[in-house]
Amino acid sequence: MTEATPVVVVGLGPAGVIVSRVLAGAGIPVLALQPQPEPAHRSPTASPPPTVRRSPAETAAPARAPHQGADRLGGSKHLAAPQSYRLDPGAFDSWPLSIDELDGYYRRVERAFRVAPRPETAWTARMHAAALSIGHAPFAAPAAASGDTSALLRHPGITVVDATVTRVIRDSSGAVTGVESIDASGQRHRTACRTVVVAGGVIAGIRLLLLSGITGGGLVGSGLMSHNAFTVNGLFPGVDLGRDRAGAASAVAISEFEGDRFDHAGLGFTGGSVLQAAMTGPRTAAWREACATGLPSATAGDDPVAWIRRHESSIGTVWAQPDQLARPENRVDLDPTHRDVAGDPVARVTFDLADDDRLRWRFLADRMRRWLEAAGAGTTWAAPIEPQPLGTHLYGGVPMGADPATSVVDSFGRAHDTPGLVVVGSSTFPSTGGRGPVETIEALAWRTAERLARDARRAAPSARSR
Ligand SMILES: Cc1cc2nc3c(=O)[nH]c(=O)nc-3n(C[C@H](O)[C@H](O)[C@H](O)COP(=O)(O)OP(=O)(O)OC[C@H]3O[C@@H](n4cnc5c(N)ncnc54)[C@H](O)[C@@H]3O)c2cc1C
């Protein structure tokens, strides 16, 4: 092994960037490993295409659509709007910390990334007025100034290496002693360290733990959650809504149908979602295709995509990011037959929706329709609900909690049963909440890094006295 490095950070998405910068700022050198497979979005070693299936009775097949996200400095936030929400306080009910404990960290993130609402547009003003007219309290969605966090990596205490970590190495007592990695030319390396922060995102992070034999007593990978985001569209005949004249971060939102803010009696589901009317930015073929799904053929005729193209300046959309419960049957494990280019098993994702997901979807879609209609929409339509195991907002699989029997890490992401292993990112969230995850990921990562720095300072005098 090479000379010991105090902290190895695996992955430089928003979570890894913040951990690296806060540690380096506290005087702790960081070695951060992040593959950079430009111009491809996905690294064949860090994020090989997972296989997917709906239930253990099926044989998982390679995913048809790529796993959404990016392998690069700054991670998937580059692809994000980037809306930047604090979670609703109710989302923390099952967490080992309260939203108050995150308040100071949320503030730091908001300052660092200049989080603020984008200016109002004709479309958001129309939806704002419509929301007021049906008794809601609309607000402008908060967004970071940019999705690029990588400037934070410019610090002499941070060394970035273009490589994928393939194993976390432990000694016979189970404590972390280093990592194994593979670089862009296929060379393998070993690096000694006593602390590894896994910041690889949900599926890649879980896969790395499982490849390393770290199972958290069978909990690692179990309880995958997805926002299963969806939209309801409405046609505003003859109105140019101008939605392509600003990016999707410009949005007006309502939160009356989020979390426990409404009466769930008899509804058959818990939670809900913030609902948002957003701009689109430039319209793409993929946008038209998605927008055409669910359009009644009586409206669109034989070519729904052509119909969308003809009417796209008059189509308004409301979208939801609904809560989902952590169910043990929805999980990530290692595929027994499919391997990546380095010979390691790819992730296998078993994921399906349950009745409460469908009921939540129906309820929210109905409220979204009413909002569009209050704004003047005639025809409205929505794509049928489909499971999104590889969607943009994934959660769970490495849950945080106080009890090692039901959780893998504590509220700082420190593994209960593997000294030196720390996990950050939304895999540790015990619940999804009904808003985007990134600001909470960043706030938690900041809190974790400060804690690691404090622990390192406390350990230093005793190390000197030995
Ligand atoms: C299209 C899109 C739009 C989104 N929009 C929003 C939004 O508006 N608001 C919001 O809140 N959220 C949004 N999200 C979600 C948000 O971007 C993610 O939740 C966030 O980026 C997760 O941060 P992370 O650091 O945990 O993981 P990632 O951003 O996934 O970063 C993980 C990094 O780790 C690297 N890595 C993985 N495995 C290894 C390994 N073994 N070795 C070395 N490196 C490794 C990966 O290459 C990657 O760069 C969006 C996501 C997508 C895809």
Side-chain angles (χ1 to χ4, degrees), residues 77 80-89 91-92 95 99 102 105-107 109-110 113 115-118 137-144 227 248-255 258 261 273-278 319-321 371 393 395 429 432-444:
K77 194 176 175 184
Q83 293 193 331
S84 198
Y85 274 105
R86 294 181 179 205
L87 277 188
D88 192 52
F92 287 83
W95 293 40
I99 193 167
L102 271 193
Y105 297 100
Y106 273 139
R107 281 173 206 268
V109 168
E110 287 159 4
F113 301 127
V115 173
R118 298 277 158 86
F139 60 96
H227 256 163
S250 297
V252 62
I254 58 173
S255 61
E258 185 180 11
R261 292 174 184 231
S273 172
V274 87
L275 305 181
Q276 304 194 81
W319 60 290
Q321 316 175 69
W371 188 11
H393 298 176
Y395 303 86
F429 288 20
T432 63
R435 308 170 170 203
V438 79
E439 187 169 315
T440 305
I441 290 172
E442 291 166 336
L444 283 167

Side-chain angles (χ1 to χ4, degrees), residues 127-139 252-258 262 275 363 366-368 370-372 374:
M127 292 305 282
H128 188 107
L132 286 174
S133 76
I134 51 174
H136 297 309
F139 60 96
V252 62
I254 58 173
S255 61
E256 282 82 359
F257 303 115
E258 185 180 11
F262 59 104
L275 305 181
F363 175 90
D366 180 56
R367 270 55 188 181
M368 293 153 80
R370 289 188 207 172
W371 188 11
L372 286 163

Side-chain angles (χ1 to χ4, degrees), residues 10-16 33-35 46 68-72 74-77 79-83 163-165 199-201 204 208 392-393 425-426 436-439 441:
V10 183
L12 287 171
L33 294 96
Q34 167 64 58
Q68 299 196 53
D71 295 300
R72 55 178 296 181
S76 301
K77 194 176 175 184
L79 307 175
Q83 293 193 331
T164 295
V165 174
L208 174 60
T392 57
H393 298 176
S426 53
V438 79
E439 187 169 315
I441 290 172

Side-chain angles (χ1 to χ4, degrees), residues 280-341:
T280 57
R283 295 207 178 87
T284 58
W287 179 84
R288 290 190 189 100
E289 186 95 18
C291 193
T293 313
L295 189 59
S297 55
T299 306
D302 293 343
D303 191 347
V305 175
W307 187 93
I308 296 289
R309 195 178 296 109
R310 274 200 308 282
H311 293 93
E312 64 190 15
S313 60
S314 303
I315 295 171
T317 302
V318 175
W319 60 290
Q321 316 175 69
D323 280 292
Q324 189 174 64
L325 298 177
R327 282 186 284 278
E329 58 272 26
N330 285 343
R331 62 180 307 126
V332 179
D333 61 6
L334 298 177
D335 192 288
T337 49
H338 292 78
R339 289 177 180 269
D340 70 7
V341 292

Side-chain angles (χ1 to χ4, degrees), residues 126-401:
R126 172 185 280 262
M127 292 305 282
H128 188 107
L132 286 174
S133 76
I134 51 174
H136 297 309
F139 60 96
S146 155
D148 186 356
T149 55
S150 59
L152 288 185
L153 295 170
R154 280 186 228 120
H155 188 286
I158 303 174
T159 306
V160 177
V161 173
D162 180 349
T164 295
V165 174
T166 50
R167 296 289 184 280
V168 174
I169 310 166
R170 293 169 298 150
D171 64 18
S172 55
S173 76
V176 166
T177 57
V179 294
E180 231 173 60
S181 60
I182 181 164
D183 68 19
S185 66
Q187 289 288 313
R188 294 186 183 267
H189 307 266
R190 283 188 144 216
T191 308
C193 65
R194 284 192 298 172
T195 306
V196 173
V197 180
V198 174
V202 175
I203 293 182
I206 292 172
R207 173 176 178 249
L208 174 60
L209 297 184
L210 295 176
L211 285 173
S212 308
I214 298 169
T215 64
L219 290 172
V220 171
S222 165
L224 179 73
M225 298 171 276
S226 166
H227 256 163
N228 240 86
F230 70 95
T231 57
V232 177
N233 306 295
L235 180 68
F236 293 72
V239 183
D240 180 359
L241 298 169
R243 288 183 60 217
D244 51 349
R245 284 170 219 146
S250 297
V252 62
I254 58 173
S255 61
E256 282 82 359
F257 303 115
E258 185 180 11
D260 53 10
R261 292 174 184 231
F262 59 104
D263 185 1
H264 288 74
L267 293 178
F269 66 87
T270 55
S273 172
V274 87
L275 305 181
Q276 304 194 81
M279 301 294 281
T280 57
R283 295 207 178 87
T284 58
W287 179 84
R288 290 190 189 100
E289 186 95 18
C291 193
T293 313
L295 189 59
S297 55
T299 306
D302 293 343
D303 191 347
V305 175
W307 187 93
I308 296 289
R309 195 178 296 109
R310 274 200 308 282
H311 293 93
E312 64 190 15
S313 60
S314 303
I315 295 171
T317 302
V318 175
W319 60 290
Q321 316 175 69
D323 280 292
Q324 189 174 64
L325 298 177
R327 282 186 284 278
E329 58 272 26
N330 285 343
R331 62 180 307 126
V332 179
D333 61 6
L334 298 177
D335 192 288
T337 49
H338 292 78
R339 289 177 180 269
D340 70 7
V341 292
D344 284 327
V346 305
R348 175 173 67 176
V349 181
T350 306
F351 183 87
D352 205 356
L353 299 172
D355 288 347
D356 67 304
D357 295 314
R358 294 186 188 88
L359 292 169
R360 196 181 293 104
W361 176 81
R362 197 166 300 137
F363 175 90
L364 293 172
D366 180 56
R367 270 55 188 181
M368 293 153 80
R369 265 197 190 95
R370 289 188 207 172
W371 188 11
L372 286 163
E373 284 163 3
T379 311
T380 59
W381 68 98
I385 185 171
E386 288 289 338
Q388 296 173 18
L390 307 177
T392 57
H393 298 176
L394 298 178
Y395 303 86
V398 193
M400 65 165 96

